[in-house]
Amino acid sequence: MLSAVAVLLAGLVVFIAIGNGPDPSSPTVAAPTTTAVSGGNAAGAATGSVDGEKILELANHPILRNPDDGLQNFACELPEWHSDQASAEAFFTAADQCLNEAWGQFLERYNLPFTPPNLHFPTGTHFTTACGTIAVSVATAAYYCDDNLYVPFRGLQTDQYGDNPGVYLALFAHEYGHHVQEVAGIMDAVWQQIYAVGQNTPAGLELSRRKELQAQCFSGMFLGAVVDRGGSVTRDMYAKAWRDQDTRGDNTSGSADHGTNAHYAQWWRTGAQFNRIAKCNTFAAPASEVS
């Protein structure tokens, strides 16, 4: 099943350090905690899932059940941001490696078939994907389709956002969040339901918003896991990404498939503050929180 999304971004017990993401208004970073996390067969047994295969579930997906599970804290090393094609490619290539490390470890604990996405940097006004030909515009800062992640430099609006790498990192981590959904089986499950009810129906648009808002939460989780850990992701980058979330969403775009600006920011900040994936279960949230 092909799935396209764009930005307006085995019976094993392991012990990992998971820390709450910091609130930019506070000078104190929450100390990490050591949490026992069950993965593999134990996580998927209730669904009758097979190790190494996707699990087509939404609210009841195994990765969303453990209230204590999240991404391991680690130092993500990124090159300095400069607003040009070559520098952006180097930055996103390094960010992709950090995201692979963070989410690869997480998904493999549940015996899900993790493979990194294929990264592309289109340079023209259009680019071709398995989901169709995509025109580069301000609505196409990044695009995900079927294990492929596209980042056209012309869509990043660097004239507006300048040298603010936290903004670009959060956007990229959102789109990578769709790859997490793809690998887990959430993406296939939600598109099955969207196709069943109609993509542009009220029910279809609500499902799309739940999908997008979960990717927002996953993006926040990643930045919350790597900020102030001795790498390149600083508190200033995190704080600017935090504030930027208010500017994105359906109020800005005039659409109805991503969530209001307030909810777009709310779900990102939930992921960033808590770094607990169960709090990213947008498919279990009331309709009033995904409007």
Side-chain angles (χ1 to χ4, degrees):
M1 178 180 297
L2 298 182
S3 51
V5 282
V7 166
L8 288 170
L9 249 284
L12 177 67
V13 176
V14 297
F15 293 86
I16 62 174
I18 302 174
N20 292 343
D23 182 331
S25 65
S26 167
T28 303
V29 177
T33 59
T34 301
T35 306
V37 180
S38 297
N41 291 333
T47 66
S49 63
V50 177
D51 287 352
E53 293 186 2
K54 294 180 180 182
I55 301 169
L56 274 61
E57 294 279 356
L58 294 177
N60 195 42
H61 199 285
I63 68 171
L64 301 173
R65 296 181 194 169
N66 188 337
D68 297 319
D69 204 354
L71 297 179
Q72 184 172 355
N73 303 118
F74 70 100
C76 173
E77 300 293 346
L78 302 170
E80 186 174 349
W81 175 270
H82 298 286
S83 294
D84 61 75
Q85 178 81 35
S87 297
E89 289 188 18
F91 180 88
F92 290 122
T93 298
D96 183 61
Q97 293 170 354
C98 289
L99 283 151
N100 289 338
E101 179 178 348
W103 285 109
Q105 291 180 15
F106 179 90
L107 293 166
E108 286 167 358
R109 289 205 301 276
Y110 291 85
N111 284 340
L112 290 163
F114 176 77
T115 54
N118 301 306
L119 196 57
H120 308 271
F121 300 102
T123 57
T125 58
H126 298 75
F127 57 95
T128 301
T129 78
C131 300
T133 299
I134 309 303
V136 177
S137 69
V138 295
T140 319
Y143 186 86
Y144 180 83
C145 172
D146 195 30
D147 295 324
N148 290 275
L149 207 168
Y150 302 84
V151 189
F153 180 74
R154 295 185 183 195
L156 291 173
Q157 296 177 265
T158 55
D159 55 338
Q160 176 177 342
Y161 294 104
D163 293 335
N164 282 310
V167 172
Y168 305 120
L169 182 61
L171 179 152
F172 185 74
H174 168 106
E175 216 59 33
Y176 194 102
H178 290 307
H179 185 63
V180 175
Q181 293 172 322
E182 177 72 38
V183 170
I186 293 171
M187 185 71 80
D188 286 352
V190 71
W191 275 106
Q192 283 183 352
Q193 292 198 18
I194 290 173
Y195 289 143
V197 299
Q199 190 168 352
N200 293 314
T201 65
L205 291 168
E206 181 176 312
L207 285 164
S208 178
R209 293 194 297 271
R210 292 181 186 275
K211 168 175 59 68
E212 294 296 334
L213 293 169
Q214 184 172 75
Q216 272 292 89
C217 194
F218 288 174
S219 172
M221 280 180 64
F222 173 73
L223 268 77
V226 298
V227 64
D228 286 349
R229 300 297 171 183
S232 305
V233 183
T234 64
R235 177 61 67 89
D236 180 66
M237 288 172 62
Y238 174 93
K240 287 178 178 175
W242 178 287
R243 291 192 291 270
D244 179 65
Q245 304 311 312
D246 288 316
T247 72
R248 300 178 186 273
D250 289 340
N251 299 104
T252 298
S253 66
S255 59
D257 57 359
H258 278 61
T260 64
N261 288 28
H263 285 149
Y264 216 64
Q266 171 196 325
W267 283 101
W268 191 93
R269 291 167 182 167
T270 294
Q273 282 184 301
F274 296 102
N275 186 16
R276 296 294 188 270
I277 198 163
K279 290 185 175 291
C280 294
N281 196 345
T282 56
F283 294 99
S288 60
E289 294 182 10
V290 293
S291 63

